[in-house]
Amino acid sequence: MPVNPDYVAPLVDYTLREYMVEFQRLSMPENARPGHPNTELEAANFALTGFHHEQQHNVRLNPLNNALTHVPDDLRIKRDYDSLLGFTHTIPAHKDLWVYPLPDPKFTQRKAYGINLGFPSTNKYLDRPRQDSEHPPLPPRPTPYDSGLLPRAIFSYKAVALTNEEREMWYNEVIYPAVHQVNSESTSSWPPEYSAELFRARTHGGHIVNSGRGMPASDVRKFSRAIRARLRDHIPWGGHAFFGVQYRGTKGVSYHGAHSEQYAQQALNIYLKDITIHPNDLWYIDIGMEFSKIDHALLWRTDAHHILAADLLKISTEDASQLVRPGRNCRLDLSSHLTQISGLRVNLPVGGSNAGLTETISFQAYTTDKTLTYHPERGQYGKFLTGPMVLNSPGVPVFCENLLGVYTSASEHMDVAARVEVRVPLKNAVSAFLALEDHTITQSLVMFCREIWWNFRGVRLQAINSMLHAMNTATVEQQLHSLTLLTYAALVHLTNGLHSRPQDDSTGREIDFLSLPHNVQEIDDSSSSGGLLPI
């Protein structure tokens, strides 16, 4: 930015292509400014701050230049069933199971589903719903079902994790006797006590290797009934336990044509062929729809979220505008530092007026480019760079070099589809969300050539890498300067924001505040004005 704090440079609109071309031009040695021979850093400064020193203007990227004007003839639209969520009295799968004797923390359900469940309770203090619970995992194989027991009452203030005493009680009083009751011969491979199983499972490093035991499909129903009976009779906190069932990662095997209840019903019949649906159980299903075009990237417009929500829920655009306002029940997922392009996640109150006839409890819109770096770890859903990884690197961190290679490869091979998913009761799976109106599609999506989209990310990352190399090869005194440390934090923040939702906690917001300019005004206050998150 200019040194004079009172000077505000004019804003000039750039397309993504123009931005990348100018970055490459500025990086060439023959285009060096007098007194600034390092053209690599000059180009990086342009790319990350958005200020053009030669032209003395600020860059405003305007991706809405690529907004759809009509529905392309070759636009591919596919509907699918992405996941199934059930709260049941028995394990509903018709498949062989792998039963894991020890509760595993990685199977702990910590995500809020936004679903109301009724529980009998005599404790007047239990008035705050809790949506976390640790459950002993009972995942079937080889199907994608996960079935686990949720033993804690949902209105509990207790910690999520079971105590060691409760784990011992679970093994000794519930799962081992239940397996023995169903098939006494199968317990020959089970240590008779929790302490013995824990000794067997613990490695020299202190970690637990939880080995599963097979159970034939013919024993599953008897086994689940034995589990609940022993919980009711032997465990003080298990009287109202139920099974939580997830059927995940299925969109690739449940694709079917949109606009047709017949195709939806046929796909649902196949989808549920290995599972029993009892009327007294509670089931929700995620219905997805994917929009794609060969050799292109399709992305959601931030300023059209209300249009998308209105079509999905069949409500007015006024009500939809309130619903998609960022806050507790709506989160935006910015895409590649562009404020005009974002997905969103919305939770609706169960039974609320905006849920519509389909009784939708949540919906989300996102793009499939996130699958390239999807890797759940330490509370994050995508691959991420950390401060120590940067500070301990002699130049450009290996993570950043590898990520740039991933972007380069994707620009040659990986199209980007726009997806939207709604969660509704299973009874509405066939009739809900059969299609989007044409005007919703044209007003909600932007489209880039595949190479442009991925190479834009690559340019941003190249600029970050140039800055990190210069900082990591500077003197120790320069590296420890407060502004340098702030720049390190900002670059880590921006790197992760290329492929994941920017960190939205107090730390992330503080980095935004300290590293982003505050004196540059948009040309207008409408949602159609361009935006780029610089440092």
Side-chain angles (χ1 to χ4, degrees):
M1 300 297 296
V3 176
N4 182 359
D6 297 325
Y7 172 74
V8 179
L11 285 168
V12 176
D13 278 357
Y14 278 63
T15 65
L16 265 61
R17 181 186 294 274
E18 290 168 343
Y19 169 83
M20 292 187 293
V21 168
E22 188 63 13
F23 172 82
Q24 296 297 338
R25 189 189 72 82
L26 290 174
S27 64
M28 296 178 181
E30 58 269 25
N31 295 323
R33 288 191 298 137
H36 297 82
N38 193 332
T39 54
E40 186 175 314
L41 285 182
E42 282 288 292
N45 183 67
F46 162 80
L48 296 177
T49 67
F51 182 69
H52 199 306
H53 282 277
E54 287 184 2
Q55 304 297 329
Q56 289 292 295
H57 64 237
N58 283 305
V59 173
R60 187 177 66 172
L61 290 178
N62 190 0
L64 297 191
N65 289 330
N66 291 76
L68 292 183
T69 57
H70 64 281
V71 178
D73 293 336
D74 55 350
L75 182 69
R76 298 180 296 184
I77 305 176
K78 296 184 293 186
R79 188 178 186 267
D80 59 74
Y81 300 118
D82 185 49
S83 63
L84 186 67
L85 178 65
F87 303 94
T88 68
H89 294 86
T90 61
I91 301 173
H94 304 159
K95 291 289 187 179
D96 299 343
L97 298 183
W98 281 106
V99 179
Y100 291 85
L102 301 177
D104 192 331
K106 72 181 179 182
F107 285 98
T108 300
Q109 178 55 47
R110 302 177 186 273
K111 182 179 180 181
Y113 286 126
I115 297 173
N116 287 347
L117 299 173
F119 281 85
S121 176
T122 58
N123 189 337
K124 64 180 180 180
Y125 298 106
L126 303 183
D127 58 356
R128 176 180 168 187
R130 187 177 65 80
Q131 295 159 309
D132 301 333
S133 183
E134 178 173 356
H135 55 80
L138 308 167
R141 297 292 187 268
T143 70
Y145 291 107
D146 276 348
S147 177
L149 195 70
L150 303 178
R152 292 206 192 283
I154 203 166
F155 298 107
S156 172
Y157 284 112
K158 295 185 69 175
V160 174
L162 298 178
T163 65
N164 189 63
E165 290 74 15
E166 289 169 335
R167 292 168 184 258
E168 183 175 6
M169 192 181 300
W170 159 256
Y171 187 94
N172 293 342
E173 302 295 337
V174 181
I175 191 168
Y176 179 83
V179 172
H180 185 79
Q181 176 182 331
V182 172
N183 187 342
S184 59
E185 295 180 358
S186 65
T187 53
S188 61
S189 62
W190 288 62
E193 292 182 345
Y194 172 75
S195 57
E197 171 63 12
L198 193 62
F199 173 78
R200 184 208 61 77
R202 194 181 300 279
T203 67
H204 288 289
H207 301 290
I208 301 297
V209 178
N210 200 2
S211 301
R213 274 78 164 183
M215 175 173 291
S218 58
D219 288 344
V220 171
R221 177 171 294 186
K222 293 182 290 184
F223 173 64
S224 59
R225 289 174 176 171
I227 286 283
R228 294 199 69 212
R230 294 203 63 84
L231 279 166
R232 182 185 64 245
D233 299 337
H234 297 275
I235 304 297
W237 39 264
H240 302 296
F242 57 91
F243 291 96
V245 181
Q246 289 182 303
Y247 187 19
R248 301 176 297 180
T250 57
K251 57 178 175 282
V253 297
S254 63
Y255 283 130
H256 54 278
H259 301 278
S260 170
E261 287 195 10
Q262 179 182 355
Y263 291 153
Q265 185 65 65
Q266 291 173 349
L268 185 65
N269 292 341
I270 296 172
Y271 188 76
L272 299 177
K273 66 182 177 64
D274 293 324
I275 194 166
T276 299
I277 304 297
H278 291 292
N280 292 331
D281 293 335
L282 183 63
W283 289 97
Y284 283 86
I285 192 167
D286 289 349
I287 304 171
M289 192 167 292
E290 190 166 299
F291 304 85
S292 63
K293 190 175 187 298
I294 296 175
D295 296 333
H296 286 78
L298 289 165
L299 304 111
W300 297 107
R301 291 173 54 166
T302 304
D303 64 349
H305 286 166
H306 66 294
I307 299 173
L308 176 63
D311 194 347
L312 287 174
L313 304 175
K314 307 306 177 187
I315 60 176
S316 69
T317 54
E318 291 77 13
D319 289 340
S321 295
Q322 295 296 320
L323 196 63
V324 300
R325 181 172 295 175
R328 179 179 180 183
N329 293 320
C330 177
R331 295 293 184 90
L332 298 187
D333 293 323
L334 292 178
S335 183
S336 301
H337 308 155
L338 295 169
T339 59
Q340 289 178 299
I341 299 177
S342 67
L344 80 163
R345 294 169 291 160
V346 177
N347 294 318
L348 288 81
V350 176
S353 59
N354 287 333
L357 296 176
T358 59
E359 303 174 70
T360 301
I361 64 170
S362 66
F363 68 89
Q364 62 174 334
Y366 64 95
T367 51
T368 57
D369 47 4
K370 64 166 58 176
T371 60
L372 198 63
T373 51
Y374 179 74
H375 184 79
E377 181 184 6
R378 291 165 53 184
Q380 305 289 330
Y381 288 99
K383 302 285 288 185
F384 59 94
L385 182 68
T386 66
M389 292 166 65
V390 170
L391 296 174
N392 293 330
S393 299
V396 178
V398 174
F399 176 95
C400 295
E401 292 178 338
N402 291 340
L403 184 59
L404 185 58
V406 167
Y407 289 163
T408 301
S409 177
S411 70
E412 301 172 356
H413 305 290
M414 187 174 180
D415 297 339
V416 179
R419 278 187 61 85
V420 60
E421 297 172 359
V422 299
R423 177 167 291 176
V424 300
L426 180 60
K427 64 182 181 180
N428 298 326
V430 173
S431 59
F433 190 31
L434 288 172
L436 286 179
E437 300 289 344
D438 283 357
H439 71 85
T440 302
I441 296 174
T442 55
Q443 294 181 64
S444 298
L445 292 172
V446 296
M447 182 171 67
F448 298 96
C449 292
R450 180 187 64 221
E451 294 84 356
I452 293 293
W453 178 246
W454 286 110
N455 288 336
F456 167 72
R457 285 190 177 185
V459 163
R460 298 285 288 172
L461 187 56
Q462 284 182 53
I464 291 171
N465 289 351
S466 296
M467 294 294 294
L468 288 176
H469 181 271
M471 294 160 64
N472 282 342
T473 54
T475 65
V476 173
E477 182 180 3
Q478 291 172 323
Q479 290 178 344
L480 295 179
H481 192 281
S482 59
L483 291 179
T484 307
L485 294 175
L486 175 59
T487 304
Y488 272 124
L491 292 174
V492 170
H493 187 68
L494 288 175
T495 300
N496 293 330
L498 282 171
H499 54 267
S500 299
R501 182 167 63 92
Q503 188 177 345
D504 194 28
D505 56 14
S506 59
T507 301
R509 289 190 291 272
E510 186 173 357
I511 293 174
D512 278 345
F513 180 81
L514 292 174
S515 59
L516 302 185
H518 301 283
N519 61 334
V520 177
Q521 302 297 320
E522 299 285 3
I523 287 178
D524 57 64
D525 293 328
S526 70
S527 57
S528 63
S529 59
L532 172 69
L533 295 178
I535 62 169

